[in-house]
Amino acid sequence: MALLWKLLVASAGIALAVYFYTGQDDFKPEMLKGKRAIVTGASSGIGEQMAYHLARMGSHIVITARTEEKLRKVVSKCLELGAASARYIAGSMDNMEFAERVVKEAEKVLGGLDFLILNHIGLTYFNYFDGDVGHIRKLLEINLLSYATMTVAALPMLKESGGSIIVISSVAGKMGLPLTVPYSTTKFALDGFFSSLRQEFYFQKTNVSITLCVLSYIDTDSALSIVADSIDTRPASKEECALAIIKGGALRQREVYFQYWFTKIPLLLRDWAPDFLDSMIRKDYNMEKIVKH
Ligand SMILES: NC(=O)c1ccc[n+]([C@@H]2O[C@H](COP(=O)([O-])OP(=O)(O)OC[C@H]3O[C@@H](n4cnc5c(N)ncnc54)[C@H](OP(=O)(O)O)[C@@H]3O)[C@@H](O)[C@H]2O)c1
Ligand SMILES: *[C@@H]1O[C@H](CO)[C@@H](O)[C@H](O)[C@H]1NC(C)=O
């Protein structure tokens, strides 16, 4: 099985890598110069790194998350790195009024918006589903409904600028992984919301791009601590991941796959050999390391 998998990955990979790498060449950091962006969940992890990339490229940045001390540090580093401007708004995305307020405040200080980057997630567990449906409801508010709320609030500005919505999702939002039932529920829902909306934008001639980012395991502190040694895959760099997202968003790609090998390639199997894909996924998990509820 392992050999077959490697052969499949190798052959599909060669063909797709050519396509993928040639597609990335059009990107220029100047595309982000002077652009106005909101980045959510930017106090740590991938969101923080996206803020730093945008800062280096000379964007105007409004970041948000709950922890004010961290946001303050990220803002001052953004200014050091060359951001045209950088501000933060602290609060929790389980509150839809707050989600809307972030967009309104950004409108006040930036006078418009080019990039809405939706990245934050609520805290969850990495374990067997514990039967708590209330937790799924809470996570849907933070991971999905606040995204919809911010999109609605930002749409007039994005239409005006021909802007972009960048949505951070996961392989867990495209295929069934164990130990992430509530999280996976919210990430699949994002695909539904934004893929349907993208179709409507076409009919409505709304010139706002939607980029859904399908990420594999990335080396952020929170992912490293939650996953620990229960999966075998090596995590990819959060700096590189953040850059791939910014590039894909600036190029108005419909989806970004990072790392490509662990996301796009397995997804080629999803509709044709789902049981085989499921069995390949299971091989990466050390379930004996999971302490059951
Ligand atoms: N790392 C991975 O392996 C991986 C893999 C696939 C997909 N992703 C996706 O990548 C994105 C970023 O993940 P990450 O690993 O960088 O996570 P992270 O480091 O834990 O960052 C999460 C961010 O969300 C904020 N946040 C948490 N709860 C919040 C709330 N209730 N309201 C507002 N903000 C809140 C956190 O800041 P505060 O605590 O200060 O609020 C933090 O800034 C997520 O969408 C995640 O699903 C990550
Ligand atoms: C849509 O917006 C993009 C980026 O702002 C712009 O380059 C493009 O010309 C716009 N297309 C139309 C049809 O207005």
Side-chain angles (χ1 to χ4, degrees):
M1 277 309 228
L3 180 68
L4 185 60
W5 179 240
K6 277 175 193 151
L7 280 174
L8 188 100
V9 166
S11 50
I14 289 163
L16 285 157
V18 173
Y19 166 78
F20 173 64
Y21 286 111
T22 49
Q24 292 285 303
D25 289 341
D26 311 329
F27 177 79
K28 309 238 167 3
E30 301 82 67
M31 286 174 168
L32 278 307
K33 196 171 165 68
K35 297 292 184 196
R36 301 152 298 182
I38 295 175
V39 187
T40 73
S43 65
S44 66
I46 299 161
E48 177 184 1
Q49 298 305 319
M50 288 194 282
Y52 297 151
H53 285 303
L54 290 168
R56 286 185 203 100
M57 295 170 193
S59 304
H60 294 275
I61 312 162
V62 169
I63 61 169
T64 181
R66 292 169 306 173
T67 321
E68 200 165 347
E69 312 91 80
K70 288 194 202 163
L71 289 171
R72 198 177 299 128
K73 282 185 197 150
V74 176
V75 159
S76 54
K77 188 161 173 201
C78 283
L79 292 170
E80 279 168 33
L81 289 172
S85 71
R87 292 182 176 82
Y88 70 83
I89 305 168
S92 178
M93 289 291 176
D94 60 4
N95 175 351
M96 298 310 124
E97 277 150 36
F98 174 73
E100 200 175 331
R101 186 154 63 80
V102 171
V103 176
K104 298 292 171 207
E105 302 262 327
E107 183 168 19
K108 254 186 250 162
V109 296
L110 303 176
L113 191 68
D114 301 290
F115 290 93
L116 176 63
I117 306 183
L118 301 169
N119 164 77
H120 65 275
I121 45 167
L123 214 60
T124 189
Y125 56 84
F126 187 74
N127 209 314
Y128 288 96
F129 179 47
D130 63 4
D132 183 358
V133 178
H135 175 65
I136 301 182
R137 184 196 303 274
K138 171 104 178 154
L139 214 57
L140 277 167
E141 285 183 355
I142 302 170
N143 295 8
L144 170 75
L145 299 184
S146 69
Y147 282 42
T149 301
M150 292 186 79
T151 297
V152 171
L155 208 49
M157 285 192 283
L158 294 172
K159 281 181 181 169
E160 173 103 23
S161 63
S164 303
I165 304 169
I166 301 176
V167 181
I168 313 307
S169 188
S170 164
V171 273
K174 287 280 189 186
M175 50 206 200
L177 309 183
L179 309 176
T180 55
V181 168
Y183 173 77
S184 185
T185 304
T186 68
K187 292 300 196 186
F188 266 80
L190 284 175
D191 196 354
F193 180 83
F194 285 102
S195 298
S196 182
L197 196 63
R198 190 192 290 111
Q199 287 282 43
E200 296 191 359
F201 283 1
Y202 177 84
F203 286 111
Q204 294 168 317
K205 300 190 167 49
T206 298
N207 188 19
V208 176
S209 63
I210 295 178
T211 301
L212 183 79
C213 304
V214 181
L215 309 184
S216 57
Y217 183 23
I218 311 299
D219 68 357
T220 63
D221 294 343
S222 61
L224 293 175
S225 69
I226 199 170
V227 170
D229 50 1
S230 45
I231 66 172
D232 286 335
T233 330
R234 213 150 33 91
S237 141
K238 59 188 177 191
E239 291 86 354
E240 282 173 31
C241 176
L243 188 59
I245 294 168
I246 302 290
K247 284 183 179 177
L251 294 172
R252 303 172 85 79
Q253 290 169 354
R254 68 175 282 140
E255 294 186 322
V256 166
Y257 290 90
F258 188 93
Q259 280 180 321
Y260 205 67
W261 303 93
F262 295 118
T263 54
K264 185 75 177 182
I265 306 294
L267 261 167
L268 295 175
L269 285 172
R270 188 185 61 176
D271 299 328
W272 297 94
D275 292 323
F276 176 63
L277 176 60
D278 278 0
S279 72
M280 291 328 296
I281 291 169
R282 288 196 289 267
K283 285 188 201 310
D284 281 340
Y285 285 76
N286 303 314
M287 297 302 266
E288 69 287 352
K289 302 238 167 94
I290 300 295
V291 183
K292 290 183 197 157
H293 290 298

